[in-house]
């Protein structure tokens, strides 16, 4: 297994079809980084801070690449769920030698102290096949980036669930794991990183609070992509017109999560 390199004096590898400049992530540079997010709106806070990005595919997974000869950044849209994330992370690890896998996107709160837009940096990710520790140096760099962005980072374990926890009762039960938040991809990405000897870190923004039910979304959200199905949404609102208030609240939660990720990655990429 490769030992992750965080030293600026280590010679960099040759670039792999990279077009443009991404700034240093740490004072001691990480040479090649893969950022994984399930949905396009979760990728967007990363992509907006890159320039002259080349778009492609890694197997079935949409990818975006940017960087210089010294530093490379890959963004991979995995789709929702552990199986898709595992396939994307394994394909990425096989495609090139990476120094860091970063899992990002939204998460649901399990702790009542967390609100939409709060940023959680995982100290570990708890999955069905065990608990994967995050890299301490990468976690510290992420915390510093969040603090520079005037965010309130919470460093704690995160649960990776094979299915969405959409009700308050389900979240309360999951909180007994000791995790403060829940998502659906991190354990698979962490497992692939561990198998390849790659450092791993997870940075998630809270979407729904622990006291919020979001179970209605399953009626009109495509389970494979997370996209809204317009006809299904229209049919749902015809049957449940009072649900419009909840849907508008969900939109505000998504905007809060996206704003926090935007601020985080602006700070993360600006680090020298």
């Amino acid at each position: 297994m490769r030992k992750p390199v965080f030293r600026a004096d280590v010679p960099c590898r040759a670039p792999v079809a990279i077009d443009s400049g991404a700034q240093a992530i740490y004072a001691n540079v990480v040479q090649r980084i893969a950022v994984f997010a399930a949905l396009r709106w979760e990728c967007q806070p990363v992509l907006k801070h890159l320039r002259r990005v080349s778009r492609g595919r890694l197997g079935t997974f949409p990818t975006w690449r940017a960087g210089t000869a010294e530093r490379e950044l890959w963004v991979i849209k995995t789709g929702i769920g552990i199986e898709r994330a595992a396939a994307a992370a394994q394909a990425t690890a096989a495609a090139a030698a990476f120094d860091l896998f970063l899992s990002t996107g939204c998460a649901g709160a399990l702790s009542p102290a967390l609100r939409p837009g709060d940023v959680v940096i995982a100290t570990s990710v708890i999955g069905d096949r065990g608990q994967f520790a995050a890299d301490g140096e990468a976690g510290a760099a992420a915390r510093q980036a969040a603090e520079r962005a005037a965010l309130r980072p919470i460093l704690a374990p995160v649960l990776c669930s094979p299915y969405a926890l959409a009700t308050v009762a389900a979240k309360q039960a999951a909180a007994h794991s000791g995790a403060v938040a829940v998502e659906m991809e991190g354990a698979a990405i962490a497992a692939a990183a561990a198998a390849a000897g790659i450092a791993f870190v997870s940075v998630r923004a809270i979407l729904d609070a622990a006291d919020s039910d979001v179970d209605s979304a399953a009626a009109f959200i495509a389970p494979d992509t997370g996209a809204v199905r317009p006809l299904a949404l229209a049919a749902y609102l015809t049957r449940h017109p009072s649900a419009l208030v909840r849907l508008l609240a969900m939109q505000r939660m998504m905007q809060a999560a996206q704003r926090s990720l935007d601020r985080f990655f602006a700070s993360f990429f600006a680090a020298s």
Side-chain angles (χ1 to χ4, degrees):
M1 295 194 299
R2 292 178 65 250
K3 180 178 177 59
V5 176
F6 296 109
R7 291 174 51 199
D9 59 342
V10 174
C12 299
R13 298 173 296 272
V16 180
I18 302 302
D19 292 338
S20 63
Q23 293 194 23
I25 302 307
Y26 311 118
N28 294 318
V29 174
V30 173
Q31 279 76 30
R32 190 179 284 141
I33 302 165
V35 180
F36 298 88
L39 305 176
R40 178 59 189 261
W41 76 264
E42 295 172 313
C43 294
Q44 196 57 41
V46 185
L47 296 174
K48 71 178 293 185
H49 300 291
L50 307 178
R51 296 293 180 268
R52 299 192 304 277
V53 178
S54 63
R55 183 170 183 174
R57 301 189 78 85
L58 184 62
T60 61
F61 302 103
T63 62
W64 297 264
R65 303 184 192 180
T68 66
E70 291 78 23
R71 300 158 204 146
E72 301 176 14
L73 180 72
W74 297 27
V75 181
I76 301 97
K77 184 169 82 70
T78 66
I80 296 174
I82 291 174
E83 291 184 2
R84 292 184 180 91
Q90 290 164 10
T92 303
F98 285 87
D99 298 286
L100 179 67
F101 274 10
L102 192 161
S103 172
T104 194
C106 67
L110 300 180
S111 166
L114 297 181
R115 309 308 301 171
D118 283 344
V119 170
V120 177
I121 300 169
T123 54
S124 64
V125 177
I126 304 167
D128 286 347
R129 298 183 180 179
Q131 187 165 351
F132 299 90
D135 181 79
E137 186 174 352
R143 176 183 57 78
Q144 292 164 8
E147 290 172 346
R148 284 193 302 270
L151 296 166
R152 183 176 69 96
I154 295 90
L155 277 69
V158 169
L159 177 67
C160 183
S161 173
Y163 50 85
L165 302 184
T167 66
V168 172
K171 294 176 189 177
Q172 289 174 339
H176 293 299
S177 66
V180 301
V182 59
E183 39 91 336
M184 298 176 64
E185 297 84 28
I189 297 167
I198 300 168
F200 168 81
V201 68
S202 170
V203 179
R204 297 276 178 159
I206 295 299
L207 178 67
D208 48 303
D211 59 358
S212 297
D213 283 318
V214 292
D215 54 320
S216 59
F220 51 83
I221 295 292
D224 54 340
T225 65
V228 174
R229 297 179 294 166
L231 294 179
L233 175 59
Y236 181 82
L237 288 176
T238 299
R239 297 191 305 271
H240 308 282
S242 63
L244 181 60
V245 174
R246 294 203 310 274
L247 296 182
L248 292 174
M250 189 182 302
Q251 183 181 43
R252 290 192 294 272
M253 294 176 196
M254 181 182 297
Q255 290 169 343
Q258 193 168 36
R259 283 194 301 269
S260 292
L261 291 175
D262 182 15
R263 289 164 58 191
F264 171 80
F265 281 106
S267 174
F268 194 62
F269 294 142
S272 58

